[in-house]
Amino acid sequence: MVGAVVYPLSGTADLARIEAPVTFKAYLLCGFAAFGGIFFGYDTGWMSGVLGMPYFITLYTGLEYNYETGQPVDVPRTEFGLPSSMKSLMTSILSCGTFFGALIAGDVADFLGRRPTIIIGCLVFCVGCVLEIISTNQEVLFVMGRLVSGVGVGFISAIIILYMAEVAPRKVRGALVSGYQFCITLGILLANCVTYASSNRNDTGSYRIPVGVQFLWAIILGIGLFILPESPRFHVMKGKIDLAAKSLSQVRGQSLDSDYIKDELAEIVANHEYEMQVIPQTSYIGSWMACFQGSIRKGNSNLRRTLLGAGMQMMQQLTGINFIFYFGTTFFQQLGTIQNPFFISLVTTLVNVLSTPVSFFAVEKLGRRVLLNWGGVGMVITQFIVAIVGVTEGRPEANNDAAVKVMIAFICIYIFCFASTWGPVGWVIIGECFPLPIRSRGVGISTASNWFWNCIIAVITPYMVGNSPGSANLGPRVFFLWGSLCIGSTIFAYFLVPEMKGLTLEQIDTMMEETTPRKSRGWEPTTTFAAQMGRVRDGKGSATHQEFAPEP
């Protein structure tokens, strides 16, 4: 204990003072951290375009293409493309890597910290990009690059959400974490712009340029993370209270001796003490098994939270949104009714970007549950309309341009419904629902669930809509499936997702213990964890609880 700096850990019973006022600095910190969504979105976007590039198709199939006429040679336009099996493998292997990356990231984040884990993810991602670029017609090398890149994206996608949820102020946490989804949409748009510009090149630059641009995102995020502070909640978990105070001071824009910093830190520590009584740390295996402890009927049990987080990400993927962004270009090509599939894909991604900022306001004003429920209803209606029009007046033989425009319009409305609701709120929920002792692993499991179902969709979708031998060639009928699955997503949100708007991460723990999801909107905190654990200052400012001296 010699040389240790004693930092006061007495807090307040005043619910209005357990967090400092929101500052512009907090917006900047979380805004930059959200930049990690660029990785996710850009990789989703460029793969869709590359799969439809004439040079890339020729490289891997041998089918010839006349660049002067803009038509394939000796094969119909609708049959000029990669086999369903190749599209499935090249697309889904990234999600396989991200699945394992997200799980591993939880351990690394608890051992090294949130910041170093994200930086490691950037480095791994760059290695994968190199493998993708140096491949020519070597399918194995390209697929290996996609796998390695996926591990890096898994690190980043899981821990960015964890980091943002832990440093964002409660009043704007939903809006700031929604910024991650906005960056995903922005990444998809940038990827589509790049692939649109390089799609008609008759050389390796057609696909190497979109892949190479990804290095820029890795460099920006990796360097920036050296500047950002570590999560104060990570330091609390490690018992480094002085470092936690310094980090909290940085992210809140307050001086180290501010009462706001003292009160919020005391609340975090008191909550951690309470959670450690409920979730004691044992062995390595035990720390993972803790995520599955408790009864599924109990609202605040770890098992219930894990199923909520993993289920939320599963339902988000089953809305079918990544069908549009992974296979939109090739799907529009196969329909045979759209003249410029690359341009339409660019339009859909632009709608995605412009729709997401709606959630910045709505997620804090209306709440998480309202957005999920109404967004789900909107997706069900629009997808069934697309399917019905597609199998009637939207068929190629009907030659009905108006029907095709209706399909495109309702696909765009469907994207709006997702991008303003389920897209961002899905990430907000998993960042908020776990207690500190299992938060990194819980977020890792939830993110891995996202990538697992992402992988499943990437594997099976080419066979569902492809027109190569062995494929179902569903065409627009696939929207009947996505619409039906959206019904399930809406039911899930209504019965199982609680309202977390305006609460601290610590207050969410209490809310989930005391009320049900459907009644959670009316729940309000009545006491602080500092008061509950006996860490409240008296009227003269002295502590009623022994001060804490961290380990030297």
Side-chain angles (χ1 to χ4, degrees):
M1 295 295 294
V2 178
V5 178
V6 178
Y7 190 84
L9 281 182
S10 53
T12 177
D14 186 354
L15 290 166
R17 291 189 56 85
I18 57 174
E19 188 173 274
V22 181
T23 63
F24 182 67
K25 185 175 183 180
Y27 285 108
L28 289 180
L29 286 172
C30 292
F32 184 82
F35 187 81
I38 291 285
F39 285 83
F40 184 169
Y42 189 89
D43 204 275
T44 299
W46 76 255
M47 197 61 202
S48 173
V50 165
L51 291 177
M53 286 180 176
Y55 184 86
F56 195 79
I57 294 172
T58 300
L59 192 66
Y60 283 92
T61 66
L63 298 174
E64 296 184 7
Y65 187 84
N66 189 324
Y67 288 87
E68 293 182 359
T69 62
Q71 295 291 332
V73 178
D74 298 331
V75 294
R77 187 181 184 89
T78 56
E79 296 180 13
F80 180 73
L82 297 174
S84 297
S85 58
M86 189 176 294
K87 286 193 291 187
S88 174
L89 177 61
M90 287 183 170
T91 305
S92 64
I93 197 65
L94 176 104
S95 301
C96 179
T98 51
F99 172 80
F100 291 105
L103 291 178
I104 297 170
D107 280 337
V108 179
D110 272 356
F111 183 69
L112 297 179
R114 285 39 168 159
R115 287 194 317 153
T117 304
I118 299 171
I119 294 172
I120 292 172
C122 291
L123 295 175
V124 174
F125 179 80
C126 287
V127 173
C129 289
V130 170
L131 294 176
E132 291 169 349
I133 288 176
I134 63 176
S135 66
T136 50
N137 61 346
Q138 299 164 293
E139 182 180 353
V140 173
L141 188 57
F142 187 85
V143 168
M144 181 58 67
R146 292 279 290 166
L147 179 65
V148 174
S149 293
V151 174
V153 174
F155 270 54
I156 296 164
S157 61
I159 308 306
I160 282 288
I161 292 297
L162 175 63
Y163 180 81
M164 292 180 68
E166 290 189 341
V167 302
R170 58 172 172 159
K171 294 180 180 179
V172 293
R173 185 178 59 243
L176 291 175
V177 176
S178 295
Y180 177 76
Q181 176 67 21
F182 177 71
C183 285
I184 291 176
T185 65
L186 188 60
I188 295 173
L189 176 62
L190 291 172
N192 275 266
C193 289
V194 175
T195 54
Y196 182 70
S198 66
S199 60
N200 291 319
R201 290 177 64 104
N202 188 15
D203 55 36
T204 58
S206 59
Y207 70 91
R208 281 177 170 167
I209 290 174
V211 175
V213 169
Q214 296 178 109
F215 284 109
L216 180 62
W217 318 136
I219 292 170
I220 293 174
L221 184 64
I223 293 176
L225 262 295
F226 279 103
I227 303 172
L228 296 182
E230 180 57 86
S231 164
R233 286 176 168 88
F234 168 74
H235 287 314
V236 167
M237 186 174 65
K238 292 296 185 181
K240 300 176 180 179
I241 307 302
D242 286 343
L243 292 179
K246 292 177 182 177
S247 291
L248 195 60
S249 174
Q250 288 179 278
V251 300
R252 295 291 182 258
Q254 299 278 335
S255 64
L256 196 59
D257 59 354
S258 166
D259 283 343
Y260 280 115
I261 300 301
K262 296 176 183 177
D263 291 342
E264 183 172 359
L265 184 59
E267 185 73 359
I268 295 172
V269 172
N271 173 259
H272 184 55
E273 289 178 344
Y274 172 80
E275 294 292 352
M276 290 301 291
Q277 294 174 4
V278 180
I279 316 171
Q281 297 297 291
T282 54
S283 63
Y284 172 77
I285 299 298
S287 65
W288 275 102
M289 293 305 296
C291 295
F292 303 96
Q293 290 177 350
S295 169
I296 193 173
R297 295 179 178 274
K298 191 174 180 182
N300 72 327
S301 72
N302 291 349
L303 175 60
R304 181 74 172 264
R305 294 171 195 254
T306 301
L307 292 177
L308 171 62
M312 190 72 210
Q313 290 298 300
M314 177 185 74
M315 293 299 177
Q316 186 197 64
Q317 289 302 303
L318 293 182
T319 60
I321 192 66
N322 278 335
F323 162 69
I324 298 294
F325 297 124
Y326 276 144
F327 304 107
T329 302
T330 55
F331 174 71
F332 294 141
Q333 287 173 336
Q334 291 168 3
L335 285 179
T337 55
I338 296 176
Q339 296 299 317
N340 195 335
F342 280 93
F343 179 73
I344 298 301
S345 292
L346 186 59
V347 170
T348 59
T349 55
L350 182 61
V351 172
N352 195 27
V353 171
L354 296 178
S355 303
T356 304
V358 173
S359 67
F360 296 175
F361 167 80
V363 73
E364 298 298 352
K365 184 68 176 179
L366 302 177
R368 284 66 161 155
R369 282 177 55 84
V370 171
L371 290 188
L372 292 174
N373 290 330
W374 285 107
V377 171
M379 287 189 291
V380 170
I381 294 172
T382 53
Q383 294 204 67
F384 276 117
I385 290 175
V386 172
I388 292 170
V389 174
V391 298
T392 54
E393 292 300 313
R395 294 172 298 145
E397 54 268 28
N399 196 27
N400 189 332
D401 289 340
V404 173
K405 291 177 181 178
V406 168
M407 289 176 62
I408 295 173
F410 275 94
I411 287 175
C412 289
I413 297 173
Y414 152 62
I415 292 171
F416 168 81
C417 292
F418 175 86
S420 58
T421 61
W422 274 84
V425 177
W427 296 108
V428 173
I429 294 297
I430 68 168
E432 294 178 333
C433 69
F434 294 101
L436 182 57
I438 65 167
R439 185 170 295 143
S440 65
R441 287 174 170 79
V443 173
I445 291 171
S446 301
T447 308
S449 172
N450 177 292
W451 290 111
F452 173 80
W453 289 101
N454 193 308
C455 181
I456 295 297
I457 290 171
V459 168
I460 66 175
T461 300
Y463 295 101
M464 292 195 304
V465 299
N467 54 12
S468 59
S471 298
N473 196 18
L474 292 178
R477 287 174 293 175
V478 74
F479 284 97
F480 282 122
L481 172 63
W482 301 134
S484 300
L485 291 173
C486 280
I487 294 175
S489 297
T490 307
I491 294 173
F492 177 90
Y494 181 76
F495 286 103
L496 297 177
V497 179
E499 183 56 70
M500 307 177 190
K501 176 174 71 78
L503 303 177
T504 67
L505 296 180
E506 289 70 38
Q507 289 170 345
I508 289 171
D509 293 341
T510 305
M511 179 271 293
M512 295 183 72
E513 182 177 357
E514 296 181 353
T515 189
T516 63
R518 285 190 291 170
K519 296 180 180 179
S520 58
R521 188 176 182 84
W523 184 88
E524 293 184 358
T526 57
T527 185
T528 66
F529 269 97
Q532 186 175 337
M533 300 300 292
R535 290 190 176 277
V536 179
R537 291 188 300 275
D538 61 24
K540 299 179 181 179
S542 60
T544 59
H545 189 284
Q546 181 180 354
E547 307 291 19
F548 180 86
E551 293 295 328

